Amino acid sequence: MKTGLVLEGGAMRGLFSAGIMDVLMEEGITFDGLIGVSAGAAFGCNYKSGQAGRAIRYNTAFARDKRYCSWRSFFLTGDLYGAKFAYHDMPERYDLFDNEAFERSPMEFYVVCTDVMTGKPVYRKIMKGGHDTYDWIRASASMPVVSHIVELDGYKLLDGGMADSIPLKFFQNEGFGHNVVVLTQAADYRKTPNRLMPIIRFSLRKYPAIVDTMERRHLMYNDELDYVASEEKKGHTLVIRPDGPLPIGHVSHDPEEMRRVYQIGRDKATAMLDEIKRFLNI
């Protein structure tokens, strides 16, 4: 039975997941496949390339760099996270992404995006590194309203979490029957209707299908939480989540805040390490 790692998004809450992944990499724990949504894809790619520490390193190093993430970037380029700087200059010049190691690794790597024309999820398996891979990850993490729609392979794409926030069911259907699921919200969290829907309706008014998807997103997300809980009870899904709300917003320019959330992830993985190894029969 293939083992999988399922990573939800959550923007900067994803540094919790990065802390977990770094501990697992340092322990030599591997998976047959990994599927990431939004920040889960952006940080999860480092697992396949074996680059423990990279996510927290570049996020803290460029936390206050206006080219990386800023309202200045948004007003000048239409992307809160600079598309060129964050997804091309960063991995190609400033904190190199190891494309060769990524391609050598047998781990199957998937990202989830949302097709704005249909409002449905798009699942992309990626085994090659380079320019197109960076753009698929960018598409998966392109939050509505503050990001351009990303056009790739005939699709018009935005954040994968809009259509499938916790893609456990998809991964099971792909043959990954024994999965570790990393969530970035505490156990008592339930999503409520999006208060920004008036802005989203206006911003995406040309794409009624994706507006409808966003109207129902809280229902989808809560159904997925219920599904994860039911699968956990069956014994072939292990859930890792924070004990309480993570002390960070969607966006942060504070390196210390980032390190705190990252450390919470490391501490959680360390505390659960024996349980994780038993679950994976290591």
Side-chain angles (χ1 to χ4, degrees):
M1 184 178 293
K2 293 195 295 185
T3 60
L5 181 61
V6 180
L7 305 172
E8 80 160 323
M12 284 294 100
R13 292 199 314 273
L15 290 173
F16 169 81
S17 306
I20 290 168
M21 287 187 282
D22 283 357
V23 170
L24 300 186
M25 280 191 273
E26 290 161 8
E27 290 289 325
I29 295 173
T30 61
F31 294 86
D32 296 311
L34 183 156
I35 186 165
V37 182
S38 193
F43 301 158
C45 62
N46 297 299
Y47 209 126
K48 181 170 167 61
S49 65
Q51 291 178 277
R54 181 171 177 270
I56 187 62
R57 184 174 62 239
Y58 73 73
N59 273 285
T60 53
F62 293 93
R64 296 188 175 97
D65 192 313
K66 291 181 170 53
R67 297 170 297 173
Y68 180 48
C69 174
S70 67
W71 287 113
R72 179 179 182 273
S73 172
F74 175 70
F75 290 124
L76 290 178
T77 71
D79 289 295
L80 186 65
Y81 282 85
K84 181 177 182 297
F85 185 83
Y87 293 99
H88 292 287
D89 293 346
M90 181 77 73
E92 293 169 0
R93 296 175 56 192
Y94 298 110
D95 197 317
L96 300 183
F97 183 71
D98 193 337
N99 288 292
E100 292 183 1
F102 182 89
E103 293 176 6
R104 283 196 307 269
S105 169
M107 178 189 290
E108 298 178 42
F109 179 70
Y110 292 75
V111 303
V112 185
C113 305
T114 300
D115 184 341
V116 301
M117 300 302 295
T118 66
K120 303 296 184 183
V122 174
Y123 306 96
R124 182 75 170 192
K125 181 179 178 180
I126 300 173
M127 299 299 286
K128 302 284 287 184
H131 191 278
D132 285 352
T133 292
Y134 306 151
D135 276 339
W136 274 99
I137 292 171
R138 174 167 70 95
S140 180
S142 289
M143 296 181 288
V145 180
V146 294
S147 307
H148 279 302
I149 291 170
V150 180
E151 298 192 25
L152 283 170
D153 292 357
Y155 292 105
K156 293 184 176 182
L157 303 167
L158 281 174
D159 193 312
M162 300 164 76
D164 191 354
S165 298
I166 312 168
L168 174 60
K169 187 178 293 186
F170 168 81
F171 226 31
Q172 290 173 330
N173 290 337
E174 291 297 304
F176 297 90
H178 215 57
N179 293 287
V180 174
V181 178
V182 179
L183 303 179
T184 59
Q185 298 281 12
D188 61 354
Y189 177 78
R190 303 295 286 186
K191 190 174 286 295
T192 56
N194 194 324
R195 292 175 296 175
L196 298 179
M197 276 311 302
I199 297 173
I200 292 170
R201 289 189 202 100
F202 178 79
S203 176
L204 295 172
R205 60 193 179 280
K206 296 180 181 178
Y207 307 101
I210 193 63
V211 171
D212 183 61
T213 294
M214 285 299 291
E215 294 271 13
R216 296 180 289 102
R217 187 188 175 196
H218 63 292
L219 302 175
M220 173 274 293
Y221 185 87
N222 293 333
D223 283 346
E224 291 192 334
L225 286 178
D226 292 340
Y227 181 75
V228 169
S230 70
E231 293 301 290
E232 187 176 24
K233 290 178 182 177
K234 294 176 184 177
H236 44 65
T237 298
L238 177 66
V239 180
I240 307 175
R241 53 162 61 93
D243 295 329
L246 292 170
I248 199 166
H250 275 76
V251 174
S252 176
H253 301 292
D254 183 346
E256 288 307 312
E257 185 176 63
M258 294 177 179
R259 291 189 187 98
R260 283 195 294 271
V261 171
Y262 171 79
Q263 189 62 45
I264 291 171
R266 289 193 63 94
D267 291 345
K268 188 68 176 180
T270 300
M272 292 184 64
L273 197 54
D274 290 342
E275 184 179 359
I276 294 166
K277 289 181 176 180
R278 284 196 302 270
F279 178 77
L280 296 172
N281 295 316
I282 297 173

